[in-house]
Amino acid sequence: MLKSKTFVKKTRSGGVMKIVREHYLRDDIWCGSEVCTECKQESTALQRDPCMESNLCSYPHYVIPDTNVVLHQIDVLEDQVIRNVIILQTVLAEVRHRSAPIYKRLKDIVHEKEKNFYTFTNEHHRETFIEREPGESANDRNDRAIRVAATWYSEHLKKSESDTDPLKVVLLTNDQGNKQKAEESGLLVYKCEEYIKSLIGNPELVDRLALSNDDKNDITSSKVLFPEHLPLSRIQAGLKNGTFLQGTFRASRDNYLEATVFVQGEGEESTEVLIQGLQNLNRSVYQDVVAVQLLPRDQWVAPSSVVLQDEGAAKDDNEEEGEEEKELRVSAAEAARKPTGRVVGIIKRNWRPFCGMLNASIIKESTRHLFTPADRRIPRIRIETRQADALAGQRIMVAIDGWPKHSRYPNGHFVRTLGSAGDKETEQQVLLLEHDVPHQAFSQAVLSFLPTMPWEITPEVMVNREDLRSLTVCSVDPPGCTDIDDALHCRELDNGNLEGVHIADVSHFIRPGNAMDKEAANRGTTVYLCGKRIDMVPELLSSNLCSLRSNVERLAFSCIWEINHEAEILKTRFTKSVIKSKASLTYAEAQMRIDDTTQTDDITKNLRGLNKLAKILKKHRILKGALTLSSLEVRFHIDSETHDPIDLQTKELMETNSMVEEFMLLANISVAQKIFDEFPDCAMLRKHPAPPPSNYDILLKAAKSKAVEIHTDSAKALADSLDVARVDGFPYFNTLLRILATRCMMQAVYFCSGMDSDFHHYGLASPIYTHFTSPIRRYADIIVHRLLAVAIAADKTYPDLMDKQKQSALSNNLNYRHKMSQYAQRASVAFHTQLFFKSRGILNEEGFVLFVRKNAIIVLIPKFGLEGTVFFDSKTKAAPTVVFDEEGPSLTVEQHTFHIFDRVIVTISLDASNIQHQKIRMSLIEPVIPGVSVSAPEVAPLAKKPRLDR
């Protein structure tokens, strides 16, 4: 049966266009129930005997939720208890339109066979399709379509031959009007909350219910704590006339009463608006898109140097402004003040389920408790649960439902338990979830695109490839590396050397648009945690078929230069190839070969030639103004049985590290120029923006405190002044200065060449740059490989590759994934550092002041690459006299003044008093300040049982 609508539409040019929309109705759309004898269906999803026991529904039944139940109670629907649910096409379409994340979660549930969810296409069924009536809103029409489909199911299932009670259908809706009309139609209908509460033997499911508006009002006070959020229409008008600014809300980790709103301007122009105080923050949550109004200039303030955490018992909703908020209001020099504003409305919430722990109420029998998120930038959340005792000491997930203006905290609901706090597996899962790292096992759809084993190089594969298997190629990587992306060779020619970089040809195995490609694009990068790797591509590729292991034939993408002895490039060519690596070396093994004069084999000669040229290449880069910065990386020695860290050291860099780096940089620059020349509008490049001058303030002040002058006019000026920055008797000064300079830098980002005009890489002093050399672990490199392959006619193109809008959107996702990967890696190092100090007790170590705050100093311990805070205010004893000078910056404690880079000796121990936010605690030993410093404790040496973890 065919229904059609015809209407006319006026075009931009003034003409009239006739539009005909056809809608096909069918009578062969099956109900999906095992019990049905009417439908001629091959497979079913809904069980014959659905077993959800309910006090309200003592009979076997299926459930039909309406759109709002799906949108707001998706956590409940995901629970394994909820089965035999009919998802109507009307509901699915509305959910897809209103929330992409919930739509994806709903589709995942439908695909899970054990859940017995069935999608019924009621909009194309002859008996359930309805037309929208004159004057009827789209929402009312959809509600009516849901009721009509529920009625059809009720009547349809009655026709089934069954010895047991006939199956019934229960409609779930929280809309009072929809419920009333359903009851008038003779349908079984309940509110979602009353149905879930009626389920027998599943009290924990009640905790997963998102709060309704009635519940939200019930658990808040009558006093208004926050200003009303403006409606979207007022916000849009204000944005248009310049009264308001739109930006992303970024809460502070160190001060829960302070945040900034990042306002993106035209091109590279952007500003940050400072927000201070609960009322001005106005119920914003980290990463929300908000509208802010700037305060008058005389009310602008400077960022606070106070460290404030929202800890302890819940603060009363009726509580007046506390001392903490008054502490923020300190007089500041005019120059230090920043544009300051207040949040007037929320444009888009970016809430997600948060990991953390329950802070149980001190009131016995209370069901209302505070949840403390693991991420300090997220406010504490008030939830209702009857299983507080069972959740004590557990890591749990909680979702926010809303934040009324009468409540100091947002309201939310329990989602699920992750495991015991402190357990390694649990903590690893928490940091992956908190940093949005995709870590689920690869789906069968993804694995289906892997090559069948045993795999071999066929004659078809050799077409358009050079056979380079005879070359003396070797790889140099960290110990334990199995995903080997790159290998090198060097051979002597009459006029110089022929140099080659060979990169794994991952794009041969991952073809555009298939499930494996989409999964790799979403993951964006491999994530390296301590003792664990979250692969971007399946292990068969990452550790085997793509990995350039020694003594096996592998497909590669080669970048080959002809270079003279002055490291000048005479010729460059790119080719797909086949190589056979002669050795897989660690940095230390390669260094030993270079240094051992008795070794004269081909591999060692190769390495010496490469190392010699790498030194000249580095010298050339530095002369152009490339920066040599510093950041301390650590490595753990892991116990082979317990897998706990038993030693912690900073990584030492060798000449071979630099050797590999120089040739990777050269390959990336060469490829960047090639793909940009060929595809000026859609090349995926990487740039490093120059920092704004204000970023260097702390570096300049630190250098000045030691009578050293630093120039920041350009990258070369900075590099030159860092090279000559020395302080007599303080050999570590230059390293500290470079560490601080690293903190001043901007984040490097991927971008599409057709969407930007500034390609410059500030840190490398290169006019153009990309990533080509790590396609096993970075998706950007796969795109670059595809572009280069098209450029040299080794592969064919496809539409998305040449679409600059899609390339730009892909770049944004890769930038996000790369940033979250770095944060996850740091969190993993922090957790393993805590495990290390947990077993070591208290240690005494030398450190240097990296930053000074109003009530604390931040100390760097070079031996462990560790930063910690020494606080000078204490809740247990009288606080010393503390004077903070922002201009210095310096902090005077009693009679002693601390400056940046001052040497100190501190005790280091693990403070596990807060099981969720365990932290490294530092106390001052030297300099000795009476009443502040502590005496040095005795430290017993531990036997070490080293096993290196990458």
Side-chain angles (χ1 to χ4, degrees):
M1 182 179 172
L2 175 66
K3 280 187 173 286
S4 64
K5 280 185 181 177
T6 305
F7 56 94
V8 291
K9 180 181 174 184
K10 194 173 182 180
T11 64
R12 283 183 180 176
S13 59
V16 174
M17 183 187 293
K18 184 179 177 183
I19 308 285
V20 179
R21 285 206 178 139
E22 295 180 338
H23 191 91
Y24 290 88
L25 299 180
R26 301 169 57 165
D27 52 14
D28 60 348
I29 295 171
W30 316 131
C31 68
S33 172
E34 282 181 359
V35 80
C36 178
T37 53
E38 295 277 310
C39 297
K40 299 177 178 65
Q41 47 204 357
E42 293 177 6
S43 61
T44 56
L46 302 166
Q47 292 174 305
R48 179 178 294 277
D49 185 22
C51 50
M52 279 194 290
E53 294 184 58
S54 162
N55 290 326
L56 286 175
C57 316
S58 55
Y59 36 78
H61 61 277
Y62 300 143
V63 170
I64 297 181
D66 75 358
T67 305
N68 282 321
V69 167
V70 173
L71 285 168
H72 297 116
Q73 306 296 351
I74 188 72
D75 291 323
V76 170
L77 294 176
E78 284 177 328
D79 195 284
Q80 288 304 313
V81 171
I82 306 298
R83 298 184 177 198
N84 295 289
V85 176
I86 299 162
I87 301 295
L88 300 177
Q89 182 188 1
T90 307
V91 171
L92 197 64
E94 274 198 284
V95 170
R96 183 179 188 177
H97 177 67
R98 289 168 61 180
S99 174
I102 291 176
Y103 175 74
K104 184 182 183 303
R105 289 168 71 181
L106 183 60
K107 291 287 282 183
D108 288 344
I109 301 172
V110 171
H111 289 139
E112 199 177 328
K113 285 186 178 178
E114 296 77 19
K115 291 279 286 170
N116 305 108
F117 272 53
Y118 180 68
T119 307
F120 179 64
T121 47
N122 62 304
E123 296 290 357
H124 289 278
H125 195 291
R126 198 198 309 243
E127 294 177 41
T128 57
F129 171 76
I130 60 166
E131 300 266 16
R132 184 170 163 185
E133 294 175 351
E136 186 178 40
S137 71
N139 189 55
D140 288 344
R141 182 263 169 207
N142 287 343
D143 284 347
R144 186 161 60 88
I146 292 167
R147 294 195 300 273
V148 167
T151 303
W152 179 84
Y153 256 103
S154 297
E155 296 301 320
H156 181 76
L157 292 172
K158 283 178 185 174
K159 301 174 188 174
S160 305
E161 297 171 11
S162 176
D163 299 332
T164 57
D165 294 335
L167 271 166
K168 297 190 178 180
V169 171
V170 174
L171 176 63
L172 298 185
T173 179
N174 290 331
D175 184 319
Q176 192 57 44
N178 194 22
K179 185 173 184 285
Q180 191 174 337
K181 286 176 183 175
E183 286 169 340
E184 290 167 2
S185 304
L187 286 167
L188 285 165
V189 56
Y190 297 106
K191 282 193 169 184
C192 183
E193 288 82 353
E194 60 181 332
Y195 176 78
I196 295 300
K197 287 174 181 175
S198 77
L199 294 177
I200 299 167
N202 292 288
E204 71 284 351
L205 205 53
V206 177
D207 290 347
R208 300 185 76 168
L209 281 168
L211 294 176
S212 66
N213 286 329
D214 295 341
D215 295 330
K216 290 173 191 173
N217 294 332
D218 183 44
I219 64 170
T220 57
S221 72
S222 56
K223 182 181 175 183
V224 175
L225 295 178
F226 297 100
E228 191 83 60
H229 285 148
L230 296 181
L232 210 52
S233 57
R234 290 257 323 260
I235 291 172
Q236 285 168 340
L239 291 172
K240 199 171 182 180
N241 63 31
T243 310
F244 304 143
L245 298 170
Q246 175 179 321
T248 306
F249 184 83
R250 294 176 174 173
S252 166
R253 286 181 193 275
D254 299 322
N255 189 337
Y256 77 100
L257 294 174
E258 188 170 275
T260 55
V261 172
F262 179 78
V263 181
Q264 183 69 55
E266 291 295 319
E268 294 297 308
E269 291 299 313
S270 58
T271 54
E272 281 194 334
V273 179
L274 185 65
I275 315 286
Q276 275 191 359
L278 272 181
Q279 289 221 331
N280 289 338
L281 295 170
N282 198 6
R283 296 170 285 159
S284 305
V285 177
Y286 179 65
Q287 292 290 36
D288 282 351
V289 179
V290 299
V292 291
Q293 183 177 34
L294 285 176
L295 297 175
R297 241 191 140 81
D298 60 351
Q299 293 180 35
W300 287 11
V301 295
S304 170
S305 296
V306 177
V307 178
L308 288 178
Q309 307 289 0
D310 184 15
E311 295 176 328
K315 295 180 174 65
D316 193 342
D317 286 340
N318 297 312
E319 210 171 271
E320 296 297 327
E321 179 187 59
E323 288 300 315
E324 289 181 336
E325 199 143 330
K326 290 173 184 170
E327 234 181 297
L328 295 177
R329 300 189 181 154
V330 293
S331 59
E334 186 69 32
R337 293 182 183 178
K338 294 201 168 184
T340 308
R342 64 188 183 96
V343 175
V344 295
I346 308 294
I347 296 168
K348 184 190 174 192
R349 289 290 194 191
N350 267 317
W351 294 344
R352 59 176 174 82
F354 301 105
C355 302
M357 294 184 72
L358 198 67
N359 192 5
S361 171
I362 55 173
I363 303 167
K364 203 175 179 185
E365 306 300 324
S366 174
T367 59
R368 290 172 190 162
H369 309 273
L370 269 186
F371 163 83
T372 304
D375 188 340
R376 289 193 181 275
R377 295 169 298 190
I378 307 300
R380 294 198 282 177
I381 303 165
R382 191 178 269 137
I383 69 166
E384 199 160 323
T385 177
R386 290 156 189 78
Q387 46 177 337
D389 291 343
L391 296 178
Q394 297 287 303
R395 288 282 202 173
I396 63 173
M397 290 186 80
V398 162
I400 298 178
D401 298 323
W403 197 341
K405 61 186 176 183
H406 306 92
S407 173
R408 187 182 182 95
Y409 303 106
N411 299 324
H413 66 273
F414 168 79
V415 175
R416 65 187 172 104
T417 304
L418 297 171
S420 299
D423 174 73
K424 269 184 287 193
E425 285 299 316
T426 302
E427 295 303 328
Q428 196 156 257
Q429 190 181 5
V430 167
L431 75 86
L432 290 171
L433 288 166
E434 280 298 292
H435 295 97
D436 194 17
V437 174
H439 59 283
Q440 67 280 6
F442 288 103
S443 69
Q444 204 52 49
V446 169
L447 298 176
S448 68
F449 286 97
L450 287 171
T452 52
M453 297 298 285
W455 175 84
E456 59 182 21
I457 297 171
T458 61
E460 293 79 29
V461 173
M462 288 302 297
V463 176
N464 293 328
R465 278 183 194 276
E466 278 192 45
D467 189 342
L468 304 179
R469 285 174 282 200
S470 61
L471 292 178
T472 307
V473 173
C474 66
S475 61
V476 184
D477 290 281
C481 178
T482 60
D483 52 344
I484 302 172
D485 287 286
D486 54 86
L488 301 144
H489 86 268
C490 166
R491 74 178 171 193
E492 191 78 28
L493 291 181
D494 296 338
N495 62 342
N497 292 320
L498 184 72
E499 300 295 334
V501 165
H502 310 279
I503 307 299
D505 188 6
V506 181
S507 63
H508 171 82
F509 296 96
I510 301 180
R511 303 309 295 165
N514 68 24
M516 196 190 305
D517 182 46
K518 288 175 181 174
E519 182 67 23
N522 177 46
R523 295 190 178 212
T525 180
T526 293
V527 181
Y528 296 93
L529 307 179
C530 299
K532 188 178 177 73
R533 189 178 81 203
I534 314 295
D535 279 326
M536 181 184 79
V537 298
E539 192 177 15
L540 179 63
L541 296 184
S542 66
S543 294
N544 187 351
L545 299 184
C546 291
S547 183
L548 305 182
R549 302 184 302 180
S550 56
N551 301 314
V552 288
E553 295 178 355
R554 288 292 177 257
L555 303 182
F557 210 147
S558 300
C559 173
I560 298 171
W561 308 278
E562 193 174 317
I563 305 181
N564 64 21
H565 289 291
E566 285 72 49
E568 294 166 336
I569 299 172
L570 307 176
K571 195 188 296 180
T572 305
R573 68 186 183 90
F574 308 98
T575 179
K576 291 245 182 176
S577 61
V578 179
I579 64 166
K580 187 175 182 180
S581 173
K582 303 300 184 282
S584 299
L585 306 172
T586 65
Y587 290 118
E589 287 168 348
Q591 191 67 55
M592 283 167 60
R593 279 176 175 264
I594 291 169
D595 295 341
D596 186 352
T597 53
T598 62
Q599 296 205 38
T600 56
D601 58 280
D602 286 348
I603 293 171
T604 305
K605 286 178 183 175
N606 241 1
L607 291 169
R608 286 181 186 139
L610 289 164
N611 195 39
K612 181 181 174 184
L613 278 168
K615 289 177 182 178
I616 304 170
L617 286 169
K618 186 171 184 177
K619 186 180 175 184
H620 287 176
R621 277 198 314 109
I622 290 170
L623 283 172
K624 288 179 185 174
L627 293 172
T628 306
L629 300 176
S630 182
S631 61
L632 296 178
E633 286 188 68
V634 297
R635 64 178 180 182
F636 294 94
H637 290 285
I638 300 289
D639 187 289
S640 57
E641 292 168 10
T642 66
H643 301 291
D644 286 337
I646 53 174
D647 197 10
L648 170 61
Q649 297 173 339
T650 52
K651 290 182 183 176
E652 289 180 30
L653 296 180
M654 304 176 187
E655 273 187 5
T656 45
N657 290 81
S658 180
M659 175 188 79
V660 173
E661 182 187 18
E662 287 306 318
F663 284 104
M664 296 306 112
L665 292 175
L666 187 59
N668 287 335
I669 292 167
S670 300
V671 171
Q673 193 62 58
K674 177 68 176 176
I675 62 173
F676 176 66
D677 289 344
E678 293 286 337
F679 308 109
D681 282 341
C682 58
M684 180 169 282
L685 303 176
R686 187 165 175 83
K687 68 173 179 176
H688 182 212
S694 59
N695 278 31
Y696 288 124
D697 287 352
I698 191 68
L699 178 69
L700 296 174
K701 287 177 180 178
K704 190 179 178 183
S705 71
K706 300 297 181 190
V708 169
E709 196 172 357
I710 295 291
H711 300 285
T712 58
D713 314 26
S714 65
K716 179 153 179 58
L718 175 61
D720 290 346
S721 52
L722 284 173
D723 285 343
V724 297
R726 298 281 183 274
V727 171
D728 291 341
F730 190 177
Y732 200 63
F733 172 75
N734 191 266
T735 303
L736 285 170
L737 209 57
R738 290 180 191 275
I739 289 170
L740 206 53
T742 306
R743 309 288 176 92
C744 302
M745 294 297 132
M746 304 289 283
Q747 183 79 39
V749 290
Y750 297 110
F751 68 101
C752 175
S753 57
M755 305 292 282
D756 208 327
S757 56
D758 178 19
F759 297 1
H760 191 72
H761 197 293
Y762 181 81
L764 296 174
S766 176
I768 195 166
Y769 192 68
T770 193
H771 272 163
F772 164 75
T773 54
S774 297
I776 295 177
R777 60 185 178 90
R778 290 189 306 233
Y779 188 76
D781 301 53
I782 293 178
I783 294 294
V784 170
H785 276 228
R786 289 174 181 169
L787 288 164
L788 184 61
V790 175
I792 64 168
D795 206 344
K796 55 183 182 292
T797 186
Y798 58 99
D800 283 6
L801 193 66
M802 299 296 143
D803 188 326
K804 65 181 181 181
Q805 300 291 344
K806 289 187 176 176
Q807 287 282 53
S808 185
L810 176 60
S811 297
N812 291 338
N813 178 60
L814 297 180
N815 290 330
Y816 170 73
R817 291 295 188 204
H818 181 72
K819 180 174 69 176
M820 298 314 284
S821 159
Q822 287 182 319
Y823 291 161
Q825 288 167 34
R826 288 174 200 165
S828 180
V829 168
F831 175 65
H832 279 75
T833 302
Q834 290 169 7
L835 287 179
F836 169 72
F837 282 103
K838 187 176 182 179
S839 63
R840 295 298 297 266
I842 301 175
L843 299 179
N844 313 325
E845 292 295 341
E846 177 187 60
F848 298 94
V849 177
L850 208 52
F851 302 103
V852 292
R853 298 283 184 256
K854 189 179 177 183
N855 57 345
I857 55 174
I858 315 294
V859 175
L860 173 73
I861 310 297
K863 180 178 176 181
F864 299 130
L866 176 70
E867 280 177 44
T869 307
V870 177
F871 287 97
F872 294 114
D873 51 0
S874 170
K875 294 173 184 174
T876 57
K877 60 183 181 181
T881 305
V882 176
V883 179
F884 177 63
D885 174 16
E886 197 166 2
E887 284 304 303
S890 66
L891 184 69
T892 302
V893 182
E894 296 296 344
Q895 302 302 314
H896 185 87
T897 301
F898 290 97
H899 296 92
I900 294 178
F901 298 161
D902 280 1
R903 179 185 173 277
V904 293
I905 294 179
V906 295
T907 66
I908 312 170
S909 60
L910 179 68
D911 178 2
S913 57
N914 181 334
I915 191 169
Q916 166 157 252
H917 291 127
Q918 296 187 32
K919 54 193 172 192
I920 301 298
R921 171 81 61 194
M922 291 188 183
S923 299
L924 191 68
I925 298 176
E926 291 180 16
V928 176
I929 304 173
V932 174
S933 300
V934 298
S935 54
E938 291 292 320
V939 180
L942 280 181
K944 294 174 185 171
K945 184 180 174 184
R947 173 171 169 175
L948 191 63
D949 169 36
R950 183 184 171 197

